[in-house]
Amino acid sequence: MKFDAVYYEPDSLSYTLGEQLKEQFSSLPWIPIASHNSIKEMQEKPNSEFGRMKRNLIIGIRKTHKYEENHKVSDYLVPYTSSGCTAMCLYCYLVCNYNKCAYLRLFVNREQMLDRLIKKSMKSVQPLAFEIGSNSDLVLENTITQNLLYTIPRFVEEGRGKITFPTKFDMVEPLLGLEHGGRVIFRMSVNPQPIISRIELGTSSLKQRIQAVNEMCEAGYPCGLLIAPVIMVDGWKKLYTELLEELESGLSAKMKREMFLEIILMTYSYVHRAINQDAFPGAEDLYDQERMTGRGRGRYCYRPEVRAEAESFLRAEIKRILGDVQILYIS
Ligand code: SF4
């Protein structure tokens, strides 16, 4: 991964990871900032700079550690070691939170965050599941920080319950030999390859993702697939049927036997439209006036009748092509 510059909170250099990053990226300009949350120089840039802004690496200390309840694969969403990402999916949910400042931020106080997570896991009466990848892509992040190599063995050894994270990347090789005790749920996000090529810019191909999830499953990790987000572009039914056929032929027998599915229909927003129009002028507009409706705070989602049609189509096609695979939810 190539970066142009590092913006950093000076205190982050007193952490082990901060020191490591300083050495790793010593050839780049290092620009001190007061807070990773408000870099004036970035905030003032026009939307057309969105892609170039993602070529910067931001390093800071995470100060907010509030866990949010969640009722899907996990019980809690945990703010963890990064937010943002270097890829540029045109619908990226993080743009809703960070606007054009959705660049990759690394938080160096990982010891503090994992201590807290372990403590919380030990305090609960029932074993809990914690989603640690809701703010970024940890497989991508791991290629820079090795934070998953730090997190997985320590959580498994000292904590209780499970951790989970989703990804759109295939760089799983370093994770394969880790002691995970079956307590790390790996979730690979998939979409038809034409959608990956046109919309999920800078992520791994479908073939690479299928291979990666097969390898994780073979290594004993409980694995699932996220068909997400489902985007109803022209010809979407054919595209998703082809995706399911590719999954049927590419996934290992073990994966097909053990996996679960999560399906999420796309949410889009006014902010995405504004940024994408300026930053990716040739890209297709994902806003579909016919099929979408407002969802509050400038967000759009597919209309209820459109969602119902998509849901019944996907359920029938999954059953026809993949058989009785467990579908946790369609939302
Ligand atoms: Fe956003 Fe995930 Fe795409 Fe990165 S990979 S741009 S975090 S949706």
Side-chain angles (χ1 to χ4, degrees), residues 54 84-85 87-89 91-94 136-137 168-169 203:
K54 285 211 171 208
C85 171
M88 285 168 274
C89 303
Y91 55 75
C92 176
Y93 56 104
L94 297 174
S136 63
D137 194 302
K168 290 187 170 67
F169 289 91
T203 62

